[in-house]
Amino acid sequence: EPEVTQTPSHQVTQMGQEVILRCVPISNHLYFYWYRQILGQKVEFLVSFYNNEISEKSEIFDDQFSVERPDGSNFTLKIRSTKLEDSAMYFCASTRRASGIKGGTDTQYFGPGTRLTVL
Amino acid sequence: AQSVTQLDSHVSVSEGTPVLLRCNYSSSYSPSLFWYVQHPNKGLQLLLKYTSAATLVKGINGFEAEFKKSETSFHLTKPSAHMSDAAEYFCVVSPRNQFYFGTGTSLTVIP
């Protein structure tokens, strides 16, 4: 069964450094998402992406975050200058189509996550 | 505004007894609703989803959920708990191209 993959599984970085988290969505999916889960807290939506542009973003997704689909398979989340509070598990997800389409929201398939630790 | 409330942060049941995990939502639109499960150190796995078809939704591993619009609820049930059901469960509402997660319910199954 096709699955979403994420690399690395664990990333340790120094405060102020840039990090890039990588995701490979399911190949025929068109919509891509990033979420984060701070330890002990709920999963929070960051951003959705379709047709090479951001579709929706949350308040968390400020100017230090950016997303990109550099080629036909990868979907990346960049954090320009990491802060201690960026330490979290980051999940990538993909759907074949978006919500709001007649028939309801398509299922999101999640990757296993990247644990980011900012020291 | 959209929100999801999972009424219990922890639920503990004995193996073989029924499971009930409660979820209430609010949404400005007719939403789709999901339940996901997260086992320790694992990613999120879809259990089931409601997308405006049948109000009683059957999922994997014997789980079911019933959409009750009048109560704005989408509670997750299972007739008989198994040890492998011990995990964190998330209710998710998706009114548009965003997904809003509840705070999660940790299910403990006692042998």
Side-chain angles (χ1 to χ4, degrees):
Chain A
E1 184 176 327
E3 58 183 17
V4 178
T5 59
Q6 290 185 242
T7 53
S9 57
H10 192 186
Q11 174 88 46
V12 181
T13 190
Q14 296 289 328
M15 189 171 58
Q17 294 296 304
E18 174 183 287
V19 295
I20 298 176
L21 309 182
R22 291 183 165 79
C23 168
V24 179
I26 294 172
S27 61
N28 63 347
H29 284 192
L30 301 176
Y31 293 83
F32 315 113
Y33 310 81
W34 282 102
Y35 294 82
R36 77 173 185 192
Q37 185 181 29
I38 296 171
L39 187 64
Q41 299 185 24
K42 68 178 179 180
V43 177
E44 300 172 292
F45 169 79
L46 291 177
V47 65
S48 61
F49 189 86
Y50 168 69
N51 199 27
N52 283 320
E53 59 184 28
I54 290 173
S55 178
E56 306 263 357
K57 62 181 181 178
S58 71
E59 294 175 353
I60 303 166
F61 194 87
D62 61 22
D63 291 344
Q64 71 159 343
F65 291 94
S66 63
V67 289
E68 192 179 27
R69 187 153 165 83
D71 53 44
S73 60
N74 290 283
F75 178 52
T76 61
L77 174 69
K78 182 192 289 186
I79 309 175
R80 289 189 182 83
S81 177
T82 51
K83 307 185 184 91
L84 295 176
E85 54 265 35
D86 293 327
S87 294
M89 181 73 90
Y90 288 80
F91 292 103
C92 173
S94 69
T95 60
R96 194 162 50 86
R97 55 189 178 147
S99 63
I101 303 296
K102 187 177 180 181
T105 300
D106 211 4
T107 300
Q108 281 196 322
Y109 292 86
F110 284 84
T114 293
R115 182 168 298 284
L116 176 64
T117 302
V118 182
L119 303 176
Chain B
Q2 283 64 236
S3 70
V4 182
T5 302
Q6 290 184 243
L7 298 161
D8 306 293
S9 58
H10 293 93
V11 170
S12 185
V13 300
S14 296
E15 190 177 16
T17 64
V19 176
L20 170 64
L21 305 183
R22 297 183 293 167
C23 173
N24 286 95
Y25 71 93
S26 66
S27 177
S28 305
Y29 306 90
S30 295
S32 292
L33 294 155
F34 303 79
W35 276 98
Y36 282 87
V37 60
Q38 185 180 30
H39 288 92
N41 301 313
K42 300 283 187 183
L44 293 152
Q45 182 185 18
L46 178 71
L47 278 178
L48 49 80
K49 68 176 180 179
Y50 165 78
T51 55
S52 74
T55 56
L56 182 62
V57 182
K58 294 185 185 296
I60 62 171
N61 301 334
F63 284 95
E64 292 183 350
E66 185 171 7
F67 173 70
K68 291 187 178 180
K69 187 175 182 179
S70 60
E71 299 176 12
T72 60
S73 69
F74 190 57
H75 301 333
L76 181 70
T77 60
K78 182 172 180 177
S80 176
H82 191 272
M83 294 300 295
S84 60
D85 295 329
E88 189 85 11
Y89 291 80
F90 293 94
C91 182
V92 180
V93 62
S94 177
R96 296 180 69 182
N97 199 24
Q98 289 197 27
F99 290 76
Y100 296 89
F101 279 70
T103 50
T105 298
S106 177
L107 177 64
T108 300
V109 182
I110 303 166

